[in-house]
Amino acid sequence: MLSDVMEDYLKAIYILQERDGPPVATSEIAAYLDVTPPTVTSMVEKLDDRGLVEREKYKGVELTDEGVTVALEVLRHHRLLEAYLTEHLDYDWSEVHEEADVLEHHISEEFERRVAEALDDPTVDPHGDPIPNADLSPPEDAEHTPLSEHESGTTVEISRVSDREEEELRYLKDANITPGTVVRIVDVAPFGMVTVAVSDGGRQSLPEEIADSIRVKRVETDAVSAEEVPEA
Amino acid sequence: MLSDVMEDYLKAIYILQERDGPPVATSEIAAYLDVTPPTVTSMVEKLDDRGLVEREKYKGVELTDEGVTVALEVLRHHRLLEAYLTEHLDYDWSEVHEEADVLEHHISEEFERRVAEALDDPTVDPHGDPIPNADLSPPEDAEHTPLSEHESGTTVEISRVSDREEEELRYLKDANITPGTVVRIVDVAPFGMVTVAVSDGGRQSLPEEIADSIRVKRVETDAVSAEEVPEA
DNA sequence: CTTTTACTTTAGAGCCATCTAATCCTGCAC
DNA sequence: GTGCAGGATTAGATGGCTCTAAAGTAAAAG
């Protein structure tokens, strides 16, 4: 009943409203989906008519419960696919996003079920993003905070790395910045750039936009991590 | 570049032209794809403009080499998917068609490659249909002839069972009429209905349309098959 | 050879998602 | 409180795929 495109809008609005809170502005959606603002206006009108978003003219939109449900369904498809491609078809972490972005709209419920079964009902995808469960109740995001919000000297474990740009992901993977890795924040520059020391001794500087999209969990500094993450 | 819909037309034309030979009539395509004839006319005009079919007004169309290549690509996707779903995701023979019909348009070349690898480059799908190989050279169809063209008394092995209707396939599967099964033709009615005896002793009557879509290979009648396929 | 019938095509319209250009809010700066 | 800049919306057009209704063609039947 809903077109692929509508599903894309709902997913985008969900992600944006999770990141910055509602209401989500027309221009934000336009930038995220790479379309022009008038296109977004006419689309959100339609979504409003269908009861999937609550729209206030000139202000922005917010998903209704029904809209959230659709977004979570799409997100579940997306993240299950990413996990499946990685685990069973030998895809790399950094390659799965585009494939999943297309397929998420075209798999049946049956397919979803069987993929989830083959993976033994996973709870996170390869980027560390939580997979909504089958009943589509909103997942809570635990204590994962953006890397950019932490101070110099803190030791953190990477929990999620946003999955939008294949190039970026490949770079991060080479730098060993992947979910599960423990890093120490060496420096936070005035313009937001974060420099971290990885356990293999390497250092990486990440511009603010990237550091913003990496979510981490603070780690108690103890002997082990102190050894794993040397000062130099 | 080509839309899903165009791919569907090319696939349909390929299948129809393989079955009945070119040229393929507007109305045949319309029936196969369940659209109206005027829709087909405007679509084949477009395909002609793009050099994918050769069209003669009021006569019908025939695929160009380029059109054949596209059709084979889609068919390869379709049949690889059917095989993969059956082998790795525990789908049943009769369920895979619809899923593959959608996904065939949305998988990347990378995905195709990895699926083929996971299956160890199969040559036939679960219905017995040949899978075009990666270089998209036209597959030759061997000596498989429609069940409906054989005479009463002949013993044949089922090689291909067309995969269009899930209902029908489930029925045939229950009757044990699947690729690889050996059956004896007991009777051919004047209106084309074929009755066969299956190795488990059961009999099945199949209307002409169905018998037409089942391809078989003649089997030399020897002691073993005579025992497997009793007269009664 | 003409008529009829079956099929094909043309004509015209609608819906979807998108665009550009033009107009219209809203809220901050003064 | 007024003006202005940035952002949002309206207006109008396009290309893709589909439909119904009407007109045209070809080939079989007489």
Side-chain angles (χ1 to χ4, degrees), chain B residues 10-224:
Chain B
L10 293 171
K11 184 179 69 161
I13 295 167
Y14 180 89
I15 289 169
L16 294 171
Q17 122 180 353
E18 210 193 23
R19 197 182 65 187
D20 307 324
V24 180
T26 303
S27 53
E28 282 183 78
I29 301 170
Y32 189 87
L33 292 176
D34 199 24
V35 295
T36 61
T39 304
V40 174
T41 297
S42 72
M43 191 69 212
V44 296
E45 264 172 27
K46 203 177 316 177
L47 295 172
D48 191 23
D49 291 347
R50 297 219 191 182
L52 295 161
V53 304
E54 198 68 55
R55 177 164 113 98
E56 200 174 344
K57 257 190 176 181
Y58 292 100
K59 291 285 168 32
V61 293
E62 176 170 5
L63 293 176
T64 62
D65 288 352
E66 199 189 335
V68 169
T69 300
V70 174
L72 288 174
E73 172 78 1
V74 178
L75 228 39
R76 176 169 165 83
H77 286 184
H78 183 95
R79 293 178 180 164
L80 279 174
L81 283 163
E82 290 194 337
Y84 189 86
L85 296 176
T86 308
E87 298 238 342
H88 290 272
L89 284 172
D90 204 33
Y91 270 79
D92 186 84
W93 189 64
S94 61
E95 302 172 321
V96 292
H97 179 70
E98 279 180 76
E99 195 85 45
D101 234 12
V102 177
L103 293 180
E104 63 185 9
H105 305 295
H106 304 291
I107 65 173
S108 66
E109 291 310 285
E110 183 65 19
F111 190 96
E112 175 196 317
R113 218 178 49 65
R114 288 179 193 257
V115 164
E117 196 180 320
L119 292 165
D120 208 12
D121 284 313
T123 58
V124 292
D125 76 6
H127 306 96
D129 293 320
I131 299 177
N133 48 31
D135 67 11
L136 303 180
S137 51
E140 70 311 319
D141 199 7
E143 4 61 270
H144 306 312
T145 47
L147 176 58
S148 53
E149 289 176 8
H150 290 261
E151 291 180 1
S152 175
T154 318
T155 299
V156 299
E157 177 182 336
I158 311 287
S159 43
R160 301 172 55 182
V161 178
S162 137
D163 67 357
R164 283 202 90 202
E165 284 295 340
E166 183 167 351
E167 277 300 313
E168 286 170 25
L169 291 175
R170 226 196 313 271
Y171 179 86
L172 293 173
K173 190 197 164 203
D174 289 346
N176 208 19
I177 298 185
T178 55
T181 310
V182 173
V183 302
R184 184 179 159 79
I185 300 177
V186 174
D187 184 54
V188 180
F191 44 92
M193 191 177 73
V194 178
T195 303
V196 298
V198 189
S199 49
D200 61 9
R203 276 163 178 246
Q204 274 302 323
S205 293
L206 305 167
E208 191 167 22
E209 317 86 75
I210 305 287
D212 241 10
S213 74
I214 296 176
R215 304 206 152 231
V216 301
K217 201 166 67 189
R218 199 177 168 146
V219 167
E220 299 311 317
T221 311
D222 55 34
V224 177

Side-chain angles (χ1 to χ4, degrees), chain A residues 24-222:
Chain A
V24 179
T26 301
S27 52
E28 282 183 78
I29 301 170
Y32 189 88
L33 292 175
D34 199 24
V35 294
T36 60
T39 304
V40 174
T41 297
S42 72
M43 191 68 209
V44 296
E45 263 171 28
K46 203 178 316 178
L47 295 173
D48 191 24
D49 290 347
R50 298 218 191 182
L52 295 162
V53 305
E54 198 69 55
R55 177 163 111 99
E56 201 173 343
K57 258 190 175 179
Y58 293 100
K59 291 286 168 32
V61 293
E62 177 170 5
L63 293 175
T64 62
D65 289 352
E66 200 189 336
V68 169
T69 300
V70 174
L72 288 174
E73 173 78 1
V74 178
L75 229 39
R76 178 170 163 81
H77 286 183
H78 183 95
R79 292 177 181 165
L80 279 174
L81 283 164
E82 291 194 335
Y84 189 87
L85 296 176
T86 307
E87 298 237 342
H88 291 272
L89 284 172
D90 204 33
Y91 271 79
D92 187 85
W93 191 62
S94 61
E95 302 171 320
V96 292
H97 179 70
E98 279 180 76
E99 194 86 44
D101 233 13
V102 176
L103 292 180
E104 62 185 9
H105 304 296
H106 303 292
I107 65 174
S108 66
E109 292 309 286
E110 184 64 20
F111 189 96
E112 175 197 317
R113 219 177 49 65
R114 289 179 193 255
V115 164
E117 198 179 319
L119 293 165
D120 209 11
D121 284 313
T123 57
V124 292
D125 76 7
H127 306 95
D129 294 320
I131 300 177
N133 46 32
D135 67 10
L136 302 180
S137 51
E140 68 312 315
D141 199 6
E143 3 61 87
H144 306 312
T145 46
L147 175 57
S148 54
E149 288 175 10
H150 289 262
E151 292 182 358
S152 174
T154 317
T155 299
V156 299
E157 179 182 335
I158 311 288
S159 42
R160 301 171 56 181
V161 178
S162 139
D163 66 356
R164 284 201 89 201
E165 285 295 342
E166 184 167 351
E167 277 301 314
E168 285 170 26
L169 291 175
R170 226 195 315 270
Y171 180 86
L172 292 173
K173 190 198 165 203
D174 289 345
N176 207 21
I177 298 186
T178 57
T181 310
V182 173
V183 303
R184 183 179 161 78
I185 300 177
V186 175
D187 185 54
V188 180
F191 44 92
M193 190 178 72
V194 178
T195 303
V196 299
V198 190
S199 49
D200 62 10
R203 277 164 177 246
Q204 273 302 323
S205 293
L206 306 167
E208 190 166 22
E209 316 86 75
I210 305 286
D212 241 9
S213 74
I214 297 175
R215 303 209 153 228
V216 301
K217 200 165 69 187
R218 199 177 168 146
V219 167
E220 297 311 317
T221 311
D222 55 34

